[in-house]
């Protein structure tokens, strides 16, 4: 590998149209932060930049729906996102925003540079226009039938089913995603970037020169390149965004994917006057951390732009991750099927490192992966608490009990194979962890660190210092064996602080406090050494590093996820629009057999009473008459119906659903609801009043 003098690490700009969820952390921000913390501990020159992406059509639509300005939308979410990332310990050198003046200027200059070289194609085309919504429709906002596979819900830029790259003109029966109206064609002028002119360059640069890129990234690039590239419009009709800096461009803004990656440059400019060292010097290493949905923008379009401009370095690597699912289901912000970082921070104060640990050890590095609350609890309780936390705690407790709270001596004369083995393990682990991090294999690296703690526990278990006698003075063999064991366990503890630091920075800080040492000890160069804590140095009393997480907390989170699963009217992210459309689509669930259906016991019930559940704005507590018995059912419909309006209504009840506790109330069953495209809920009940308890089949 080339010897780089400095590093510029970027993390994808989150879209300021909603809070961030743990999928964002696992996919982008944690791996980037781990890598940066490691580089800093290595004393390498590194800058870590990101910021909010504040332009684009979804923001204007959101503002329109909420009756506020786009600026108000982005101000709100920029703050929420910035705070969440900061509190999770994501240690940006700068977290900027694309609405800043410096970014507008930088993007316009970039555009003009390409324009003045004559690199854009200026085309007047007829584009789809929604007369109802009075707006031109960006590609994503036109849906229609895919000409390749027949998917009735393909987008104007891509078919999600067969992966074909499309243009709106290729869709059969196009319709507006905003109003469902059939769009009309209207003339408009735009500036296109002819990607096909960079095909040869990109093929050489990626397919030949960057064979080391992760398989998922390399593979996606190859398939884009093999399919051939086309001109892409780099401007849009909108009044929200960066003005196209040309005289005849009223009402035109830069395409959000033209300006967003330039945000990395603007943020670096804002951070340091030496920004050119990082962007324009061949010995700088640029690395983009992103999710898989952004690969084409970071590996094809942005590098082609940078290459065309000519004054910038290109990314040396783009270690994109796949997606993180939640409890076996795809994250969907529109269905609220997500674990929101700001909510996690409120529900689990002081447990930032636990989430960092679980997300990293489960990171979707090579394929989509699953987050479950049970696994979260399991990893905390049986790895962090019982292996790592327990080892550190035992070491400190025994050192206080058997060695007067001071680092004991190492007596070479009684060292045995177990001791020498442990020292070797500490040295080997450092090398393995380092190699894995350098290759962006953070899961593997983290596994090695926890495994080293496991080896520490095993070592102590075999040495059993508590069984040795402390009587008889400093020169007895027993005394020396106690000293050696605790000396090495303490040196291992110091090593664990260094090795865990990129992953669990809050915990590493606590350990420094316990060991009464300064931050400098965390320098990566110290790892592997067994001379980190000086003999005779007195250490503080242990603190508990990880508390147990109780079943109750986990149940609450699972319930929260399930009861929160209401369709919101809001559209939170760029990809949410996409999900919302998918959710409304005609795609069926997997086929079932009659036997599967026959397991359901559906009954007609009558609502006897309904009341709001305290502190749960989505829940109603219903008393339901099933003829043969009365039931309490908690239902997540409070945002849709007033309690008093539904008393006396009939409803179809799933009568044999296992009971579930919600907000301390046991719910015995579920009522069925239809939901229309706008997310409105409608009762399912018999056409005429029917005896309570009647079966439905
Ligand atoms: Zn298709």
């Amino acid at each position: 590998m080339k010897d780089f003098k400095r590093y510029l690490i970027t993390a994808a700009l989150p879209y300021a149209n909603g809070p961030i969820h743990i999928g964002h952390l696992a996919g982008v921000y944690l791996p980037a932060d781990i890598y940066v913390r490691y580089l800093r501990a290595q004393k390498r020159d590194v800058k870590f930049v990101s910021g909010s992406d504040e332009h684009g059509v979804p923001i204007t639509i959101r503002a329109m729906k909420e009756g506020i300005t786009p600026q108000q939308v982005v101000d709100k979410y920029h703050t929420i996102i910035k705070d969440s990332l900061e509190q999770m310990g994501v240690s940006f050198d700068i977290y900027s925003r694309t609405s800043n003046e410096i970014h507008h200027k930088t993007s316009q200059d970039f555009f003009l540079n390409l324009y003045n070289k004559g690199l854009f194609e200026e085309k007047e085309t007829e584009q789809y226009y929604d007369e109802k919504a009075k707006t031109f429709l960006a590609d994503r906002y036109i849906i229609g039938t895919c000409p390749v596979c027949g998917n009735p819900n393909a987008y104007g830029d891509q078919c999600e089913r067969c992966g074909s790259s499309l243009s709106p003109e290729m869709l059969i029966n196009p319709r507006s995603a905003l109003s469902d109206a059939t769009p009309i064609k209207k003339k408009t002028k735009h500036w296109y970037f002819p990607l096909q002119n960079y095909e040869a360059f990109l093929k050489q640069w990626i397919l030949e020169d960057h064979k080391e890129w992760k398989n998922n990234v390399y593979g996606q690039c190859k398939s884009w390149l093999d399919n051939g590239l086309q001109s892409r419009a780099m401007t849009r009709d909108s009044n929200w965004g960066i003005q196209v800096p040309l005289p005849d461009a009223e009402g035109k803004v830069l395409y959000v994917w033209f300006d967003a990656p330039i945000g990395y440059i603007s943020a670096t400019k804002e951070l340091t006057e030496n920004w050119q060292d990082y962007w324009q010097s061949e010995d700088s290493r640029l690395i983009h951390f992103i999710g898989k949905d952004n690969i084409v923008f970071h590996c094809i379009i942005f590098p082609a732009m940078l290459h065309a401009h000519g004054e910038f370095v290109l990314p040396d690597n783009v270690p994109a991750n796949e997606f993180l699912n939640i409890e076996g289901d795809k994250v969907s912000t529109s269905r609220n099927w997500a674990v929101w970082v700001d909510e996690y921070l409120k529900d689990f104060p002081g447990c930032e490192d636990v989430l960092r640990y679980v997300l990293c050890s489960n990171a979707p590095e090579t394929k989509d992966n699953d987050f479950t609350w049970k696994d979260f609890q399991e990893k905390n309780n049986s790895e962090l608490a019982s292996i790592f936390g327990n080892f550190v705690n035992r070491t400190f407790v025994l050192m206080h009990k058997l060695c007067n709270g001071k680092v004991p001596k190492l007596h070479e004369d009684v060292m045995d194979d177990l001791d020498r083995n442990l020292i070797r393990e500490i040295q080997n682990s450092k090398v393995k962890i380092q190699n894995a991090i350098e290759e962006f294999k953070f899961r593997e690296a983290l596994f090695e660190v926890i495994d080293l703690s496991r080896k520490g526990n095993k070592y102590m278990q075999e040495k059993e210092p508590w069984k040795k006698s402390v009587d008889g003075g400093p020169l007895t063999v027993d005394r020396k064996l106690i000293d050696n064991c605790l000396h090495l366990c303490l040196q291992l503890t110091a090593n664990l602080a260094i090795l865990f630091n990129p992953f669990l920075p809050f915990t590493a800080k606590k350990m420094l406090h316990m060991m009464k040492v300064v931050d400098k000890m965390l320098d990566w160069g110290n790892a592997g050494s067994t001379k980190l804590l000086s003999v005779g140095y007195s250490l503080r009393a242990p603190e508990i590093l990880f508390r147990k997480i109780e079943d109750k907390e986990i149940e609450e989170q699972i319930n929260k996820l399930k009861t929160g699963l209401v369709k919101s009217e809001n559209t939170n992210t760029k990809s949410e629009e996409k999900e919302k459309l998918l959710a409304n689509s005609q795609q069926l669930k997997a086929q079932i057999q009659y036997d599967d259906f026959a397991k359901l016991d559906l009954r007609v019930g009558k609502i006897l009473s309904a009341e709001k559940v305290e502190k749960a704005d989505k829940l109603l507590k219903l008393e339901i008459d099933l003829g043969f018995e009365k039931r309490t059912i908690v239902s997540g419909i409070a945002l849709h119906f007033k309690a008093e309006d539904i008393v006396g209504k009939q409803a179809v009840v799933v009568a044999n659903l296992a009971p579930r506790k919600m907000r301390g109330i046991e719910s015995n069953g579920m009522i069925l609801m239809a939901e229309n495209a706008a997310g409105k809920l409608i009762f399912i009940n018999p056409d005429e009043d029917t005896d309570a308890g009647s079966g439905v089949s």
Side-chain angles (χ1 to χ4, degrees), residues 146-151 154 159-164 166:
C146 171
V148 181
C149 74
N151 168 16
C159 171
E160 305 269 310
R161 189 192 281 170
C162 69
S164 301
L166 303 173

Side-chain angles (χ1 to χ4, degrees), residues 15 69 90 97 154 190 212 277 281 344 352 368 385 436 448 471 506 543 598 614 635:
Y15 200 50
T69 64
V90 179
R97 50 197 306 192
H190 284 289
E212 81 283 8
D277 291 349
S281 174
Y344 174 88
E352 296 82 4
D368 286 359
E448 289 297 338
D471 306 327
F506 299 96
E543 345 172 0
E614 254 190 306
S635 183

Side-chain angles (χ1 to χ4, degrees), residues 40 76 157 398 459 483 515 568 577 588 642:
R40 288 192 192 121
K76 176 177 166 189
D157 58 351
L398 287 172
Y459 167 79
D483 285 355
M515 294 184 287
S568 73
E577 281 296 323
L588 289 177
K642 281 193 193 143

Side-chain angles (χ1 to χ4, degrees), residues 258-393:
F258 183 86
D259 92 70
I262 296 175
Y264 302 136
I265 304 174
S266 326
T268 318
K269 276 188 181 175
E270 212 180 320
L271 172 67
T272 166
E273 52 187 25
N274 300 326
W275 68 273
Q276 284 164 313
D277 291 349
Y278 295 88
W279 277 101
Q280 302 186 329
S281 174
E282 278 304 324
D283 49 8
S284 282
R285 188 174 189 210
L286 172 62
I287 298 172
H288 296 310
F289 282 85
I290 56 166
K292 71 169 163 190
D293 48 340
N294 291 344
I295 290 175
V296 66
F297 302 107
H298 286 78
C299 299
I300 307 268
I301 301 178
F302 188 46
M305 286 163 56
L306 292 169
H307 177 76
H309 187 290
E311 290 169 18
F312 294 98
V313 294
L314 300 177
D316 185 57
N317 210 323
V318 185
N321 274 344
E322 301 286 299
F323 289 153
L324 186 73
N325 298 329
I326 309 281
E327 303 281 350
D329 250 338
K330 268 192 144 156
V331 169
S332 164
T333 49
S334 57
R335 283 164 56 232
N336 199 25
W337 189 257
V339 177
W340 302 103
V341 177
D342 54 328
E343 292 188 13
Y344 174 88
L345 287 161
K346 277 181 216 137
D347 292 350
F348 291 95
C351 296
E352 296 82 4
D353 276 351
V354 178
L355 187 59
R356 288 178 67 109
Y357 180 82
V358 174
L359 293 179
C360 179
S361 64
N362 232 350
E365 287 180 0
T366 53
K367 59 176 176 52
D368 286 359
N369 225 337
D370 203 28
F371 172 91
T372 70
W373 280 108
K374 270 277 158 220
D375 179 61
F376 168 86
Q377 181 189 26
E378 176 77 15
K379 287 213 159 76
N380 177 77
N381 292 357
S382 55
E383 292 179 18
L384 286 177
S386 347
I387 298 175
F388 169 37
N390 183 42
F391 170 72
V392 174
N393 190 55

